[in-house]
Amino acid sequence: MFFLVFNSTFIIYLYTMYPTISPYRDSGDMIVSAFTYGIAHPPGYPLYVLLGKVFTVLIPFGNIAYRVNLMSAFFGALSCSVLYFLIKNLYEKLSTDKKILKVFVCLFVVLQFCFSSSLHSLSIVSEMYSVNTFFAVLIIYLLLATKPSNLGNYTLLVAFLFGIGLGNHQTLVLLVPGILYLIIKRVASQNVSKCLHFHFFTLSLFFLLGFSVYLFLPIRSAQNPTANWGDPSASVRNFYRVLTRADYGGIRLHPEKSPAEQNLSTVANNFLNFLKVSYRDTSHSLITIVFFVFIGIYLSNKIKIFWILFLFWFFSGPLFFIISNLPLSDKTSLPILEPYLIIPLIILILWYGLGIFYISRFLSNHSNEIFLVVLVSFGIISPFFFRIPSLNKRYEFIALDYSKDLLKTLPKNSILFNPDDTTTFTLKYQ
């Protein structure tokens, strides 16, 4: 089942993928940094750069942008495969019978995630978000796979994955409240307060081991690479400013929109905006989603995982949208916010799947067979009609042509003032 989910998803991502550099935001910068072992825009994204270089070396065909795009498709498909096991693991906590039902419901739910507009669109471009999705799904799976009665060896693995995952994208930090809640709850249930210092020390050690990937920035910067954003080797201050995105406004997603400039009305509006765009990312009616999600929430409370799921969802979704303070009336806001819909969508999909599985258990055998056929048919067919055609970028060369034509039409000895990221980074790629 792992390879079935991976292969089917990867083939579709591969078919719909950009054939070269895409006009999506930072793609050109990420490709150049990966190919030249360079320092990308803050916070440098060292893990993405190293993984991207591996793909440009191991894949013997296609242009450099195509090879890095392929990495996104690979990790997007891998995320879906791990999500399959995560959902299956939750179903097994509810029931041990009706194995066929579990498989089909798992497939249906995973397909909804695979071909959501957010994940699909970010799995066909050279961006770090599909890799971030993989780390998020894997960490959540390992946390929930550990028995509540013990901390388990998985906890140390989670600490390491969390540390190294931050080297790909720092929004993984939004999982911290849920991770801490689960660890504290399990430590308390075992009454291991005497060993708490030891647990904290070992967890910190494994976290720092993963987080040490950021040492790549000053080490490589000292070798004066082609891409050397912020020159983190020049001083501790430079390294700190790159690491904390100081020149980008820290936690700001937009240089002109401050998270502090809010009142109760804007907070409520940002929360509603999150719910609106989350619904747009699904292909189902609002009533259907709300119905099954609320049943899933009830079941997650029954199997004692509601609070960890809620903390993951709330901090990575609503709270992040509130802090970002980007109004949807601004046309640039949704493209900026789209990548941050994926982690809360993972939790929404889990609740949605739990609700479907619970309801389907009450159907008769004959009704169950009809239900499974309809479910899987809809799950497979609907993306091909409603999602995939609009996300197919197989023959789109607009960014490549734009940057080439721009350079060709510049008069000799002219100076170009770059107005935006797309212009800057496509030219950087050229």
Side-chain angles (χ1 to χ4, degrees):
M1 292 310 301
F2 179 90
F3 288 108
L4 174 65
V5 173
F6 176 83
N7 289 337
S8 57
T9 308
F10 181 68
I11 287 168
I12 292 171
Y13 286 168
L14 190 64
Y15 182 82
T16 57
M17 193 175 74
Y18 277 93
T20 180
I21 185 174
S22 74
Y24 191 89
R25 294 174 59 183
D26 308 320
S27 290
D29 180 47
M30 302 311 294
I31 296 165
V32 171
S33 299
F35 184 58
T36 64
Y37 282 125
I39 312 302
H41 64 281
Y45 307 101
L47 181 64
Y48 182 90
V49 168
L50 292 168
L51 289 173
K53 184 62 179 180
V54 169
F55 273 76
T56 63
V57 171
L58 291 184
I59 299 170
F61 52 83
N63 57 73
I64 299 303
Y66 179 86
R67 300 181 197 187
V68 184
N69 290 346
L70 196 143
M71 179 176 78
S72 294
F74 175 83
F75 278 101
L78 202 58
S79 303
C80 296
S81 301
V82 178
L83 182 65
Y84 174 86
F85 282 114
L86 170 56
I87 297 170
K88 186 170 177 287
N89 180 268
L90 295 183
Y91 292 170
E92 287 171 351
K93 293 181 179 180
L94 291 170
S95 172
T96 55
D97 57 353
K98 298 191 175 182
K99 293 182 179 180
I100 298 297
L101 180 64
K102 289 177 192 173
V103 170
F104 278 96
V105 175
C106 281
L107 277 176
F108 169 75
V109 175
V110 167
L111 285 172
Q112 304 312 300
F113 179 71
C114 295
F115 304 119
S116 62
S117 57
S118 294
L119 183 64
H120 191 152
S121 63
L122 293 165
S123 295
I124 59 176
V125 298
S126 299
E127 288 281 356
M128 67 296 293
Y129 300 110
S130 67
V131 183
N132 196 49
T133 303
F134 167 71
F135 276 99
V137 174
L138 185 58
I139 286 171
I140 294 170
Y141 170 68
L142 292 173
L143 286 171
L144 297 181
T146 304
K147 293 181 179 179
S149 58
N150 61 66
L151 284 171
N153 293 330
Y154 284 154
T155 313
L156 296 179
L157 180 57
V158 165
F160 172 76
L161 290 171
F162 179 66
I164 199 170
L166 288 173
N168 173 74
H169 203 275
Q170 292 180 348
T171 52
L172 208 63
V173 76
L174 298 169
L175 297 180
V176 165
I179 294 172
L180 288 178
Y181 168 80
L182 194 66
I183 291 175
I184 291 169
K185 184 179 177 183
R186 287 176 179 172
V187 167
S189 67
Q190 292 181 75
N191 192 24
V192 289
S193 55
K194 293 180 180 178
C195 304
L196 195 57
H197 292 296
F198 174 75
H199 283 300
F200 179 77
F201 174 77
T202 50
L203 286 172
S204 300
L205 189 64
F206 274 76
F207 166 77
L208 290 173
L209 184 64
F211 194 70
S212 65
V213 70
Y214 271 101
L215 294 176
F216 167 83
L217 300 182
I219 293 171
R220 177 57 181 153
S221 174
Q223 298 170 21
N224 195 28
T226 303
N228 192 12
W229 201 305
D231 193 11
S233 66
S235 65
V236 174
R237 180 181 179 275
N238 280 22
F239 178 45
Y240 174 79
R241 292 189 70 81
V242 171
L243 189 64
T244 59
R245 300 180 78 250
D247 294 325
Y248 264 51
I251 61 170
R252 287 189 184 189
L253 292 180
H254 194 285
E256 298 172 5
K257 311 292 182 183
S258 172
E261 297 170 3
Q262 297 198 62
N263 53 39
L264 192 60
S265 174
T266 54
V267 167
N269 192 50
N270 285 328
F271 178 73
L272 289 174
N273 285 341
F274 166 73
L275 296 179
K276 285 178 187 176
V277 293
S278 295
Y279 168 63
R280 286 183 204 172
D281 213 22
T282 64
S283 56
H284 307 286
S285 70
L286 183 61
I287 296 174
T288 304
I289 293 169
V290 171
F291 175 71
F292 285 117
V293 165
F294 270 98
I295 293 174
I297 288 173
Y298 163 75
L299 281 175
S300 67
N301 187 55
K302 190 175 179 181
I303 58 178
K304 299 179 180 179
I305 60 168
F306 166 74
W307 283 109
I308 182 174
L309 294 182
F310 176 79
L311 289 170
F312 287 149
W313 174 81
F314 180 75
F315 280 87
S316 65
L319 189 66
F320 187 83
F321 267 60
I322 291 168
I323 291 173
S324 67
N325 193 26
L326 296 181
L328 289 184
S329 56
D330 188 335
K331 290 183 180 180
T332 62
S333 294
L334 192 55
I336 292 173
L337 290 169
E338 185 181 40
Y340 309 106
L341 290 170
I342 297 178
I343 295 180
L345 182 62
I346 294 169
I347 308 304
L348 192 70
I349 284 291
L350 292 179
W351 280 328
Y352 184 64
L354 283 171
I356 292 176
F357 180 69
Y358 185 74
I359 293 297
S360 63
R361 289 172 60 199
F362 293 99
L363 299 174
S364 64
N365 289 334
H366 180 65
S367 300
N368 234 324
E369 291 170 4
I370 297 173
F371 174 75
L372 289 175
V373 171
V374 172
L375 193 70
V376 175
S377 298
F378 180 78
I380 294 173
I381 295 171
S382 64
F384 285 91
F385 285 98
F386 300 109
R387 295 288 184 189
I388 294 174
S390 63
L391 293 169
N392 189 357
K393 307 298 181 182
R394 184 173 179 82
Y395 300 108
E396 187 168 310
F397 294 87
I398 187 170
L400 186 72
D401 292 342
Y402 169 68
S403 53
K404 277 186 175 181
D405 292 345
L406 190 60
L407 290 173
K408 285 178 181 178
T409 55
L410 287 176
K412 189 176 181 180
N413 297 324
S414 59
I415 296 174
L416 173 69
F417 291 86
N418 288 345
D420 53 29
D421 286 355
T422 304
T423 304
T424 302
F425 293 144
T426 51
L427 288 175
K428 189 175 185 178
Y429 176 74
Q430 292 294 352

